[in-house]
Amino acid sequence: VLVIVIANWIAWFDNAFAEREFAKLCKEQAGTKIYRTVELGPEYFTPDGKPVFITSKGAIDNTHMPSGYRADKTTWERIPFITSASRLRYVIRETRDESVVAEVTYLSASRGGPPGIVAEHRPMRGGYCPNDLSDMEPINFLAKVFIPRRKQ
């Protein structure tokens, strides 16, 4: 009985730590950050205003990105110290100096007790952030970064 009580106490403490760390990461990393916009000529947009560097399946096509820019996507990478937590991130970089023009980050997590010790795993409160996931669609994100040049 004592072992079960201790294991549950460890799982509760571990969950509390993970939830606090995840909330901190959500504040610091999650969401859309646009450091500057880039004005482009009409050759970079379809007649209906969509960027030409988006494939028919909605993915970013770096071969058609404007010269001097590149889009990087990190697939689900594990977040240290939080079991079952991951980060998905798109970053637009200027290739000249690798500076970040814009980024969008989505965090997801679930948390339970140590596997094999506590059978009941509960999801972590606030299991993902940000709440608005629209910018995880590349077309929505890119439309905020690359804008049509205003006609003179």
Side-chain angles (χ1 to χ4, degrees), residues 16-31 33 79-82 87 105 107 109 124-126 129:
F17 170 79
E19 287 178 3
R20 188 174 61 248
E21 283 300 302
F22 190 73
K24 179 181 167 191
L25 287 174
C26 282
K27 284 182 181 176
E28 293 172 357
Q29 295 181 8
K33 297 174 178 85
I79 299 172
F81 308 115
I82 305 177
R87 177 185 302 114
T105 305
L107 303 172
M124 185 162 55
R125 285 190 302 250
C129 57

Side-chain angles (χ1 to χ4, degrees), residues 92-142:
I92 305 297
R93 296 183 187 279
E94 191 166 356
T95 56
R96 175 178 45 89
D97 59 4
E98 292 297 308
S99 62
V100 175
V101 175
E103 60 187 313
V104 60
T105 305
Y106 170 76
L107 303 172
S108 172
S110 63
R111 188 68 179 173
I117 297 175
V118 179
E120 292 291 318
H121 289 260
R122 66 182 179 92
M124 185 162 55
R125 285 190 302 250
Y128 68 90
C129 57
N131 290 329
D132 179 7
L133 302 179
S134 62
D135 283 346
M136 290 313 294
E137 292 293 328
I139 194 153
N140 296 333
F141 174 54
L142 292 175

Side-chain angles (χ1 to χ4, degrees), residues 83-94:
T83 305
S84 301
S86 8
R87 177 185 302 114
L88 178 63
R89 187 170 178 238
Y90 287 105
V91 179
I92 305 297
R93 296 183 187 279
E94 191 166 356

